[in-house]
Amino acid sequence: MQSNLYEGISTVDPALWGQVTRDHPFAGWHWCHFGEVAHGHPGFYLVATEGDQPVGGAIFWVIDDEMIPTWHALARYVVAHYLRWRPLLACRTALDTTHAAIFMPSDPNCRAELMAEIRRAAGDLLYRQHCSFFVADYLSPVEMDYPWGDFFVLKDFHFQNAGTYLTVKWESFEAYKADLKAQGKKAYRNIKDNTRRAMEAGITVSLQREAPPLDEILRLQAIHAKHYHQPFNPARTTRTVNATARLPENNCRWALAHCNGDLVAYKLLLFDDVNRIAYATLYASDHKTEFAYFLMSYEDIRYAMDDWCAKMIFYGSEGYEFKRRMGFELDTRDQLVFYPAGRVERSLAGFLLRWMDR
């Protein structure tokens, strides 16, 4: 097996990369280009071949503004400042697409060789990019059992909230609603009641290709972050918004909820049209306009089913009981592996593990 590590997706042949990432959501060539704009710098791309045939690879990002998944202010402060000096090396798809970025062959022996190449490339990048940690996240239970060697494997550890998903088994949104009704599920009645109440309150939802004004996005993001006691990075959000303009027409929609002319909530919908996977991200609201979230969610699902013909829809975990009634399931890709670059990082890892999720 031979492997090459490329810096910048423009240096990788699109056809070759398409073979490497086949059947992997949000990993195609133009999604990597989207990621480079969203991150503000090029990514690194490992391509492994046997003869003339690609057999797998991986994506690596150097990240100095990782959103630390803890409510503990001291842990967040310490790690955020440390990562500005010694950034994170992350193996995942583009910013805000939340999928694993290791692309493996089915043959176990070939897979073991490729894992050795990934570990070697990660170690080399840790040194060359002056990084603190390597992390591969959004991994499934199967991916956790790959031969990770001396990397730390954290199974059933909720480092990040991967969210929820709906497997689409219906030809249309109307067929989906009819199935909810036939099953006697409360969700069908809720759709009618919530839609009526939202309309009575003057709430409307529209979907468009262009992003709403950036100042409105940042205003609602700040309110949303404060409501959930989460960190907020305006520069990171701004880069993501700018990156959406680089996506092909069919890969992006903004769902906007207005009430009496004011923007009260929004959501970014991304669509991998090769794998027919829809993903809702960057949700934010004013947290005082009732029923906007519900009406927006119904329109999201309708658009994904009717216009995009999605076969799977990924969501966050906010409003989980509502999503459960709508047929969504918990996403189990909340496991990871990581590797500290040195003694200081191993000490910092121990500190993080004590405070994470507090």
Side-chain angles (χ1 to χ4, degrees), residues 65-71 75-76 79-80 83 231 352 356:
D65 60 352
E66 180 76 351
M67 305 291 279
I68 308 304
T70 177
W71 286 10
R76 196 164 61 224
V79 177
L83 290 181
L352 268 179
M356 201 66 67

Side-chain angles (χ1 to χ4, degrees), residues 57 65 94 121 137 173 184-185 200 202 204 251 257 275 282 292 336 346:
D65 60 352
D137 49 6
F173 184 63
K185 289 195 172 183
E200 290 174 351
T204 59
N251 293 145
N275 296 288
L282 273 190
L336 61 89
R346 283 192 287 273

Side-chain angles (χ1 to χ4, degrees), residues 304-350:
M305 290 182 178
D306 293 353
D307 291 72
W308 279 339
C309 299
K311 67 179 182 181
M312 188 170 288
I313 304 170
F314 283 89
Y315 258 66
S317 61
E318 70 276 353
Y320 171 66
E321 281 304 313
F322 161 72
K323 291 188 175 67
R324 184 185 60 79
R325 291 195 298 270
M326 295 290 289
F328 282 78
E329 302 175 60
L330 277 178
D331 192 342
T332 60
R333 299 174 304 112
D334 55 359
Q335 304 167 96
L336 61 89
V337 300
F338 78 99
Y339 186 80
R343 288 181 297 177
V344 172
E345 287 74 28
R346 283 192 287 273
S347 298
L348 186 57

Side-chain angles (χ1 to χ4, degrees), residues 2-3 28 40 74 91 106 139 143 157 159 212 234 239 277 298 320 323 328:
Q2 295 180 325
S3 67
L74 178 59
C91 184
S106 57
L139 299 176
E143 291 165 331
F157 183 79
F159 184 74
R239 292 198 308 268
I277 306 292
Y298 303 143
Y320 171 66
K323 291 188 175 67
F328 282 78

Side-chain angles (χ1 to χ4, degrees), residues 117-131:
E117 288 299 306
I118 290 175
R119 296 196 305 271
R120 181 197 58 76
D124 181 55
L125 285 171
L126 281 171
Y127 175 75
R128 288 199 289 119
Q129 299 296 317
H130 194 59
C131 293

